[in-house]
Amino acid sequence: MVIEFGGFLTIGEKYFAIPFRLFKVDPENKAFILDQSKELIEKAPGFDINHWPETNLHGEETYWSFV
């Protein structure tokens, strides 16, 4: 799942590709919950909207492998 974090009025936004396994489903509110610290997300490798990362990294260790 891709989330946007930071920035203001579309300036300085950073996007993150986060594995689905880190989200919890809240069916009552029809929402996904990401229970991770702000600091962990800020340190994560992100990307801008025009430069998407390779996301087909099956079996490879990534930043999120140990979370």
Side-chain angles (χ1 to χ4, degrees):
M1 183 174 288
V2 174
I3 65 167
E4 177 268 326
F5 185 77
F8 180 72
L9 299 175
T10 71
I11 298 170
E13 291 176 335
K14 192 173 176 185
Y15 294 84
F16 301 90
I18 300 176
F20 279 111
R21 68 177 175 76
L22 296 179
F23 289 88
K24 294 180 180 149
V25 178
D26 179 354
E28 184 176 312
N29 294 307
K30 299 180 183 176
F32 290 100
I33 308 294
L34 178 61
D35 189 20
Q36 302 296 324
S37 70
K38 180 179 175 182
E39 291 78 23
L40 183 77
I41 295 171
E42 287 175 337
K43 291 179 185 177
F47 59 96
D48 68 62
I49 195 71
N50 297 314
H51 300 94
W52 284 63
E54 173 60 48
T55 58
N56 196 17
L57 302 173
H58 301 289
E60 295 183 31
E61 289 184 2
T62 68
Y63 177 84
W64 301 104
S65 294
F66 305 101
V67 176

